[in-house]
Amino acid sequence: RIETQTIRVSSLLKGYSDFPHLEQVFRIDRVTRFKKKGKTRKETALGVTSLSSGQASPRELLDFVRGHWEIENRLHWIRDSVFREDTCTTRTGNGAHVMATLRNMTISLLRVAGSKSIAPVLDSFSNNSSRIFRFLGL
């Protein structure tokens, strides 16, 4: 796919809005062309930031937004698809928070250890639980 992004940034709303700490507003227009299907998708994203124009140029804002989606894809997608977090029935007390913390810790440990793909590693642990202890150095 080929994606083109255009950003427009303005500081003109600063002082005119009740939005806390508003420094800049921005609009990102994306045009994505899918080579194989021959289709084009257009979308617009709107945003606000507390970063002034001196702290973040339009290019830097575009990079920050892209970085946000990298986090979404590297963490939340794994929590949703590999750990099936949305189907978890732990909802009372601190259970849900504890389980989310354990999932995040597991993902972080695997990333620090150099795992590029989480699902195959977890599968290997489930097939041979002693691998978990070797991985942890125990």
Side-chain angles (χ1 to χ4, degrees):
R1 71 178 185 194
I2 299 171
E3 184 173 284
T4 305
Q5 296 189 62
T6 306
I7 188 168
R8 295 182 188 134
V9 181
S10 175
S11 298
L12 294 175
L13 290 180
K14 180 181 176 182
Y16 287 99
S17 172
D18 292 334
F19 198 89
H21 311 291
L22 174 75
E23 287 288 331
Q24 298 184 85
V25 296
F26 58 90
R27 172 183 167 164
I28 300 173
D29 294 308
R30 294 184 190 98
V31 177
T32 307
R33 290 182 183 85
F34 299 93
K35 294 179 184 180
K36 289 183 181 179
K37 296 181 181 178
K39 294 186 178 185
T40 300
R41 178 181 68 207
K42 295 180 181 180
E43 60 186 4
T44 299
L46 303 174
V48 297
T49 182
S50 61
L51 298 172
S52 69
S53 58
Q55 293 172 305
S57 68
R59 175 81 239 169
E60 290 170 317
L61 287 176
L62 202 54
D63 291 342
F64 291 151
V65 170
R66 186 173 284 278
H68 166 80
W69 285 108
E70 180 180 345
I71 292 168
E72 177 70 25
N73 291 334
R74 287 181 52 93
L75 178 63
H76 300 290
W77 182 85
I78 291 170
R79 285 173 51 177
D80 291 342
S81 62
V82 176
F83 287 100
R84 292 184 290 232
E85 188 173 55
D86 291 341
T87 62
C88 181
T89 58
T90 306
R91 304 205 194 293
T92 59
N94 292 324
H97 183 73
V98 169
M99 290 303 296
T101 301
L102 289 171
R103 289 182 194 105
N104 287 342
M105 183 182 69
T106 301
I107 293 166
S108 295
L109 283 171
L110 293 173
R111 293 271 187 230
V112 167
S115 292
K116 299 286 185 206
S117 185
I118 303 297
V121 176
L122 293 177
D123 285 344
S124 76
F125 288 164
S126 67
N127 293 333
N128 184 349
S129 59
S130 64
R131 289 181 183 163
I132 297 169
F133 297 109
R134 283 197 306 272
F135 173 80
L136 294 172
L138 301 174

